[in-house]
Amino acid sequence: MKTIGLIGGVSWESSIEYYRMVNELVLTELGGVHNAKSVMVTVDFGEISAMMKSNNWDAVQEAMVNAGLQLKAANADFIAICSNTMHKMTDAIEAATQLPLLHIADATAEAILKDNFQKVGLLGTASTMEESFYKSRLVEKYGFEVFIPEKDDRKFVDDVIFEELVIGNLKDESRTGYQRIIKEMQMQGAQAVILGCTEIGHLIKPQDSPIPTYDTAILHAKAIAEFALNQKK
């Protein structure tokens, strides 16, 4: 079994779910009293979110790279970031650590392709929805057509994440707002929706959406467990 290196704390609400899911998956596969071999470095999301709000992405990258180097020093065999947005720093982390990084968008895209969908809506932080580091991977590597909400709705989705979901505050009115946005993307042609923030799955369950949902945290955790058990090269 490979030793998993997890970068957590972005936010801890999703990181704790990663730890639970990965260990449950390993236990299911191996039985007995087995669990995953892992190391987690947890950053302070208060510091990270302040850097993001001030658009200081160089500082965010430095924090993520340092976390990756700590994982390497702890003898992790590969790295997984318990966040979608922090995959903006994928190349820098891989270059600094020389360790494989299991990308969350790949795990998600592979699941969507198995279900034969090509047109997908994307919900996440403003960075994930608006910048190219995530969407381009979906488009260029997997051939997806990606829909994102309108500008005001992107702000709403982002605000709910940073003001509510990262502290475990689940509001019915926010769920209703997300449902409206998903419906509008469906009307534009989306066949499914990517819950492209690891906390969104706490708010939006499959039954809450008119189209299939792909919870990135769940799919990523599955890919991490499979890779650790040498079932996925």
Side-chain angles (χ1 to χ4, degrees), residues 184-198:
E184 289 177 1
M185 289 193 293
Q186 180 190 28
M187 293 173 66
Q188 294 170 19
Q191 302 164 309
V193 60
I194 296 172
L195 306 184
C197 170
T198 52

Side-chain angles (χ1 to χ4, degrees), residues 119-124 129 135 145-150 153-154 157 177-196 200 204 209-213:
K119 299 180 179 182
V120 295
L122 175 62
L123 297 178
M129 291 185 289
K135 289 186 297 182
E145 182 177 354
V146 180
F147 300 85
I148 61 172
E150 298 296 328
D153 285 339
R154 293 198 300 271
V157 170
Y178 272 47
Q179 288 174 311
R180 174 186 58 79
I181 292 166
I182 292 170
K183 181 65 177 177
E184 289 177 1
M185 289 193 293
Q186 180 190 28
M187 293 173 66
Q188 294 170 19
Q191 302 164 309
V193 60
I194 296 172
L195 306 184
I200 293 178
I204 297 296
S209 174
I211 52 178
T213 60

Side-chain angles (χ1 to χ4, degrees), residues 138-212:
L138 296 173
V139 173
E140 295 169 10
K141 187 173 181 178
Y142 296 98
F144 291 141
E145 182 177 354
V146 180
F147 300 85
I148 61 172
E150 298 296 328
K151 183 177 180 180
D152 288 347
D153 285 339
R154 293 198 300 271
K155 184 179 186 306
F156 172 76
V157 170
D158 187 79
D159 287 346
V160 168
I161 291 168
F162 281 97
E163 296 172 11
E164 300 170 21
L165 301 186
V166 298
I167 56 174
N169 188 6
L170 308 180
K171 295 183 178 180
D172 289 339
E173 57 265 36
S174 296
R175 181 178 297 105
T176 299
Y178 272 47
Q179 288 174 311
R180 174 186 58 79
I181 292 166
I182 292 170
K183 181 65 177 177
E184 289 177 1
M185 289 193 293
Q186 180 190 28
M187 293 173 66
Q188 294 170 19
Q191 302 164 309
V193 60
I194 296 172
L195 306 184
C197 170
T198 52
E199 288 86 15
I200 293 178
H202 300 168
L203 182 70
I204 297 296
K205 303 298 182 184
Q207 63 269 22
D208 297 319
S209 174
I211 52 178

Side-chain angles (χ1 to χ4, degrees), residues 22-39:
V22 168
N23 281 286
E24 286 180 350
L25 288 162
V26 169
L27 173 61
T28 297
E29 183 64 29
L30 299 182
V33 291
H34 286 283
N35 58 268
K37 295 179 181 178
S38 66
V39 182

Side-chain angles (χ1 to χ4, degrees), residues 20-184:
R20 178 186 61 78
M21 289 188 290
V22 168
N23 281 286
E24 286 180 350
L25 288 162
V26 169
L27 173 61
T28 297
E29 183 64 29
L30 299 182
V33 291
H34 286 283
N35 58 268
K37 295 179 181 178
S38 66
V39 182
M40 180 181 283
V41 172
T42 305
V43 299
D44 178 2
F45 190 55
E47 295 175 357
I48 298 295
S49 63
M51 296 170 189
M52 293 169 66
K53 288 176 182 176
S54 63
N55 207 32
N56 189 356
W57 287 101
D58 287 342
V60 177
Q61 178 169 294
E62 182 180 1
M64 291 295 111
V65 167
N66 286 339
L69 290 171
Q70 290 179 64
L71 293 173
K72 182 175 184 177
N75 295 319
D77 292 310
F78 69 99
I79 293 173
I81 310 171
C82 305
S83 160
N84 285 270
T85 304
M86 293 302 112
H87 280 76
K88 182 174 180 175
M89 273 59 73
T90 295
D91 291 344
I93 295 169
E94 286 186 311
T97 64
Q98 296 297 298
L99 291 175
L101 191 150
L102 212 60
H103 202 292
I104 195 168
D106 292 342
T108 304
E110 288 165 10
I112 295 170
L113 285 178
K114 286 181 181 177
D115 292 335
N116 296 313
F117 296 130
Q118 287 292 143
K119 299 180 179 182
V120 295
L122 175 62
L123 297 178
T125 64
S127 297
T128 297
M129 291 185 289
E130 296 172 356
E131 297 182 34
S132 63
F133 72 91
Y134 201 94
K135 289 186 297 182
S136 292
R137 196 176 189 97
L138 296 173
V139 173
E140 295 169 10
K141 187 173 181 178
Y142 296 98
F144 291 141
E145 182 177 354
V146 180
F147 300 85
I148 61 172
E150 298 296 328
K151 183 177 180 180
D152 288 347
D153 285 339
R154 293 198 300 271
K155 184 179 186 306
F156 172 76
V157 170
D158 187 79
D159 287 346
V160 168
I161 291 168
F162 281 97
E163 296 172 11
E164 300 170 21
L165 301 186
V166 298
I167 56 174
N169 188 6
L170 308 180
K171 295 183 178 180
D172 289 339
E173 57 265 36
S174 296
R175 181 178 297 105
T176 299
Y178 272 47
Q179 288 174 311
R180 174 186 58 79
I181 292 166
I182 292 170
K183 181 65 177 177
E184 289 177 1

Side-chain angles (χ1 to χ4, degrees), residues 210-228:
I211 52 178
T213 60
Y214 289 83
D215 188 325
T216 52
I218 293 173
L219 295 168
H220 200 203
K222 181 180 178 184
I224 292 166
E226 290 176 346
F227 193 81

